[in-house]
Short mmCIF file of all heavy atoms in Angstrom, two decimals:
data_model
loop_
_atom_site.label_atom_id
_atom_site.label_comp_id
_atom_site.label_asym_id
_atom_site.label_seq_id
_atom_site.Cartn_x
_atom_site.Cartn_y
_atom_site.Cartn_z
N ALA A 32 -8.42 -61.18 42.08
CA ALA A 32 -8.37 -61.39 43.49
C ALA A 32 -8.71 -62.74 44.00
O ALA A 32 -8.00 -63.28 44.84
CB ALA A 32 -9.32 -60.38 44.13
N ALA A 37 -6.91 -67.93 46.26
CA ALA A 37 -6.78 -69.30 46.21
C ALA A 37 -5.53 -70.12 46.39
O ALA A 37 -5.42 -71.19 46.95
CB ALA A 37 -7.24 -69.80 44.68
N PHE A 53 14.08 -37.34 60.70
CA PHE A 53 13.86 -37.37 62.11
C PHE A 53 14.14 -38.78 62.67
O PHE A 53 14.35 -38.96 63.94
CB PHE A 53 12.53 -37.01 62.47
CG PHE A 53 12.16 -35.65 61.92
CD1 PHE A 53 11.07 -35.50 61.09
CD2 PHE A 53 12.71 -34.53 62.17
CE1 PHE A 53 10.77 -34.36 60.47
CE2 PHE A 53 12.31 -33.20 61.65
CZ PHE A 53 11.47 -33.12 60.76
N ASP A 132 22.60 7.46 55.30
CA ASP A 132 21.27 7.85 55.92
C ASP A 132 20.14 8.04 54.88
O ASP A 132 19.36 8.97 54.98
CB ASP A 132 21.56 9.23 56.59
CG ASP A 132 20.44 9.55 57.74
OD1 ASP A 132 19.94 8.48 58.17
OD2 ASP A 132 20.10 10.63 57.99
#
Side-chain angles (χ1 to χ4, degrees):
F53 310 115
D132 199 27

